[in-house]
Amino acid sequence: AQSVTQLGSHVSVSEGALVLLRCNYSSSVPPYLFWYVQYPNQGLQLLLKYTSAATLVKGINGFEAEFKKSETSFHLTKPSAHMSDAAEYFCVGGGATNKLIFGTGTLLAVQP
Amino acid sequence: DTGVSQNPRHKITKRGQNVTFRCDPISEHNRLYWYRQTLGQGPEFLTYFQNEAQLEKSRLLSDRFSAERPKGSFSTLEIQRTEQGDSAMYLCASSRTSGNPTDTQYFGPGTRLTVL
């Protein structure tokens, strides 16, 4: 299964600014990668997933992630942050049994 | 689609007591997963079922932990002789398996356990 590393446990951006949350993976097999979001007092929700069909993956709420094999990265971006984006974001690796391996999470704060 | 439900949402217990949590997956989802999330960490895999068969258990799942899915529908997770280190959020997820490792797992709201 994948192991993933999220760089930055806390990220703060201004409303309207670019959101960039970093994730690097390590594996010797084709990666299965996801981004999940956890809003305050809510369950985990899938934002997007990499299925090897395309390197640029579009998800919900305007988020997207680009799979870069040369950099072993799967960073999450959004062009313009909204207050409602404040949440914890998890980069997640998967394996053949669908067991998910979560990163340590990045807490995104959006300042007005 | 009612989503994955978990009961209770919160449980406070004294050290040494037994506790049981229930998870009801999305109907027709044949895979069911249990994860544990401690404060400041991402969820960690505990175990999963395909239908009623428990196919994998993490080393995190000590002998005090047992999970069942008797009819391939709901599942229970029991912790015997609870310890303070068991305090965590216990998450359940389900998926419809097509044999694709990217099948989406849908998570429930979790059961927060506090062991005093």
Side-chain angles (χ1 to χ4, degrees):
Chain A
Q2 297 296 315
S3 67
V4 294
T5 302
Q6 290 184 246
L7 303 175
S9 58
H10 291 80
V11 170
S12 182
V13 301
S14 299
E15 192 172 18
L18 170 73
V19 176
L20 171 61
L21 305 182
R22 299 177 187 273
C23 173
N24 288 89
Y25 67 91
S26 64
S27 175
S28 60
V29 298
Y32 307 112
L33 295 164
F34 311 78
W35 276 97
Y36 274 81
V37 61
Q38 191 170 35
Y39 296 105
N41 299 315
Q42 294 187 32
L44 285 157
Q45 180 180 0
L46 179 68
L47 265 183
L48 50 81
K49 60 182 174 183
Y50 171 67
T51 61
S52 76
T55 56
L56 184 61
V57 183
K58 294 189 183 299
I60 61 172
N61 301 337
F63 284 92
E64 60 184 37
E66 187 171 8
F67 173 73
K68 289 188 176 180
K69 187 175 180 179
S70 60
E71 299 177 6
T72 60
S73 68
F74 191 57
H75 301 331
L76 181 71
T77 60
K78 181 174 180 177
S80 177
H82 192 273
M83 297 295 290
S84 61
D85 294 326
E88 189 157 22
Y89 293 80
F90 292 95
C91 183
V92 185
T97 61
N98 296 58
K99 178 175 70 176
L100 298 180
I101 308 297
F102 283 77
T104 51
T106 298
L107 195 60
L108 175 67
V110 182
Q111 308 299 328
Chain B
D1 181 358
T2 56
V4 178
S5 62
Q6 293 187 246
N7 288 289
R9 294 290 306 275
H10 303 272
K11 179 71 177 178
I12 299 174
T13 191
K14 293 182 179 179
R15 189 177 55 183
Q17 298 295 304
N18 299 343
V19 294
T20 300
F21 311 139
R22 176 177 170 129
C23 171
D24 287 88
I26 294 171
S27 59
E28 298 178 358
H29 277 191
N30 58 351
R31 281 203 175 174
L32 187 149
Y33 301 80
W34 285 99
Y35 295 84
R36 181 173 69 185
Q37 185 176 20
T38 53
L39 210 58
Q41 299 297 317
E44 297 172 293
F45 169 80
L46 292 178
T47 187
Y48 89 95
F49 293 83
Q50 180 152 319
N51 301 314
E52 65 276 9
Q54 187 173 19
L55 297 187
E56 187 173 348
K57 293 196 297 185
S58 162
R59 277 175 278 184
L60 292 174
L61 217 63
S62 75
D63 291 345
R64 298 184 296 105
F65 288 71
S66 62
E68 294 183 343
R69 195 183 182 197
K71 297 183 180 179
S73 57
F74 73 91
S75 175
T76 57
L77 177 68
E78 180 183 16
I79 309 175
Q80 296 182 327
R81 304 181 303 283
T82 52
E83 301 173 355
Q84 288 185 324
D86 297 331
S87 296
M89 178 76 86
Y90 290 83
L91 299 169
C92 177
S94 70
S95 69
R96 176 183 297 161
T97 298
S98 61
N100 190 328
T102 59
D103 288 335
T104 298
Q105 291 186 27
Y106 296 85
F107 282 80
T111 295
R112 182 169 295 283
L113 173 67
T114 302
V115 182
L116 302 176

